[in-house]
Amino acid sequence: MDVIMADEAEAGTVELTILMPCLNEAETIGTCVAKAMGYLARSGVAGEVLIADNGSTDGSQAIAERLGARVVPVPERGYGAALITGIRAARGRFVVMGDSDDSYDFSALDPFLAKLREGFDLVMGNRFRGGIKPGAMPPLHRYLGNPVLSTIGRVFYGSPVGDFHCGLRGFRREAMLGLDLRAPGMEFASEMVVKATMQGLRIAEVPTTLSPDGRSRPPHLRSWRDGWRHLRFLLVFCPRWLFLYPGLALALAGLAAMAVLLPGPARAFGLTFDVHTLLYASGATVMGFQAVQFWVFSRIYGAQMGMVPESRALNAALARFGLEPALIVAGILVLAGLGLGAATVAIWGAERFGELRGTGALRLAIASVTAMLLGLQLAFGAFFIAVLGMMRPRG
């Protein structure tokens, strides 16, 4: 069976698009396209080869077109930008994407297509299960970068994917369009897996072999810069681990230390903890509370922007504990702080407003400031959440 032509594609008969991002890959694009075209012809799959070109100046486009591929120009630079445009332009019901540097074998796509036909929405290649040939992956990526980032992704998001950054992956086109993928850079690889996991898409993995790429120039990937972009995305997109859990731990530890140290000094492990530790405990309480508030803000905003699904538990808590109850609690905290402040002034007055002896007044002053800070933060945060609620898209 011949590879399907463009007029047939427009009639909706394309099953598979083999998509490759490209930026100056004249050395290898021909090999990749030839393998992909050969796979379509040999397997009898109705499909196309699509090149999302990111502004090549070395003639890559002409090479690809000469071999039968369709080329879509992508003005915005970036790995993710190229693939997002390519996915939108794809005519196939399924898409298999892979780098155009000849590091993946486009003639061996049967495992991906089989899983897609079974009903999986995303089929990831796994290079650690399929094999990494000598020289195909730098040791920094193989033993540190990929394992660490993939582990973080599995822990943070509960993803079943063992190789978050494998460049060869297949998916159902409509499912990917529904994820509203946006990352323009290399972090696109993480965004796809994270959003697919959070939206409950069916995900599978197949072993994939990684070979040394066929280029004579260095790759576009920059280890530390792009590794940080992946890590930054994983942290920002999961505010529980960036804000909620650290904030809760910090606030609870601070409150516990304050409860112990407010009556007086405490000894532990042969050390004496006094008012100076109490001051740091107060700071930990306030900073932790602020971090938890940032989690609430980011969770609400992320859901409104469609980046993360709605949190039923958070919505239920906010519905029960809305603006007015929050303001009441905030008012109680501020009044308690003012009361403690008045008690501190009274102690000072007993000393005829002279030099204070001991640390009793300072302990009350720290507690007073802590209560007022928490009260004001709660009040301002409640108003901000109310503003976010007013901004919620309708329909």
Side-chain angles (χ1 to χ4, degrees), residues 32-358:
C32 294
V33 172
K35 288 182 178 179
M37 297 292 286
Y39 170 77
L40 293 176
R42 183 176 61 259
S43 65
V45 175
E48 63 169 352
V49 178
L50 178 63
I51 307 301
D53 186 74
N54 221 182
S56 296
T57 58
D58 63 350
S60 296
Q61 306 96 320
I63 296 172
E65 289 176 338
R66 186 170 64 248
L67 292 171
R70 181 163 63 96
V71 177
V72 176
V74 185
E76 182 183 0
R77 285 295 182 95
Y79 175 77
L83 287 169
I84 290 169
T85 300
I87 294 169
R88 291 172 180 166
R91 295 168 178 161
R93 182 161 60 99
F94 303 131
V95 177
V96 172
M97 56 170 262
D99 300 335
S100 53
D101 60 3
D102 199 26
S103 57
Y104 296 107
D105 186 2
F106 288 103
S107 65
L109 302 181
D110 287 326
F112 291 90
L113 190 56
K115 289 293 183 181
L116 291 170
R117 286 171 172 173
E118 286 178 26
F120 288 95
D121 299 299
L122 173 62
V123 183
M124 294 290 300
N126 190 314
R127 298 164 294 182
F128 298 96
R129 287 171 50 192
I132 301 172
K133 293 184 178 180
M137 184 184 293
L140 178 65
H141 299 181
R142 183 170 186 173
Y143 300 109
L144 180 63
N146 279 297
V148 169
L149 291 172
S150 296
T151 299
I152 291 174
R154 289 195 300 272
V155 172
F156 280 20
Y157 300 97
S159 174
V161 175
D163 185 2
F164 255 58
H165 305 110
C166 181
L168 188 63
R169 56 185 71 182
F171 45 84
R172 192 166 54 84
R173 177 177 176 271
E174 290 302 317
M176 284 303 112
L177 292 176
L179 295 181
D180 189 24
L181 301 172
R182 302 183 183 186
M186 290 292 183
E187 68 272 25
F188 174 86
S190 294
E191 183 189 18
M192 178 185 289
V193 179
V194 166
K195 284 190 173 181
T197 301
M198 297 183 72
Q199 294 294 340
L201 300 188
R202 294 189 64 198
I203 302 174
E205 275 193 313
V206 296
T208 299
T209 300
L210 181 69
S211 302
D213 70 61
R215 300 172 297 194
S216 60
R217 60 166 177 80
H220 298 299
L221 180 69
R222 296 294 179 267
S223 299
W224 293 106
R225 181 200 65 183
D226 293 316
W228 163 245
R229 293 180 71 163
H230 281 289
L231 178 59
R232 180 183 64 183
F233 175 85
L234 293 173
L235 290 172
V236 171
F237 211 75
C238 188
R240 288 177 302 166
W241 289 90
L242 184 61
F243 298 127
L244 179 60
Y245 298 152
L248 280 175
L250 198 60
L252 292 175
L255 284 172
M258 288 189 70
V260 171
L261 295 173
L262 273 174
R267 288 187 60 80
F269 311 110
L271 303 174
T272 300
F273 298 93
D274 204 345
V275 68
H276 308 89
T277 307
L278 176 62
L279 181 60
Y280 279 99
S282 168
T285 302
V286 173
M287 289 185 288
F289 180 75
Q290 190 173 51
V292 172
Q293 274 196 320
F294 267 95
W295 169 75
V296 176
F297 301 155
S298 60
R299 196 66 181 78
I300 294 172
Y301 183 75
Q304 290 182 359
M305 294 297 102
M307 296 187 295
V308 295
E310 295 275 355
S311 171
R312 295 181 180 179
L314 179 59
N315 289 342
L318 293 175
R320 181 180 294 272
F321 190 73
L323 177 60
E324 290 77 12
L327 292 178
I328 291 173
V329 174
I332 292 173
L333 286 169
V334 172
L335 289 175
L338 291 173
L340 291 170
T344 304
V345 173
I347 294 175
W348 187 27
E351 297 291 337
R352 298 182 182 275
F353 300 102
E355 182 179 352
L356 290 171
R357 300 173 184 176

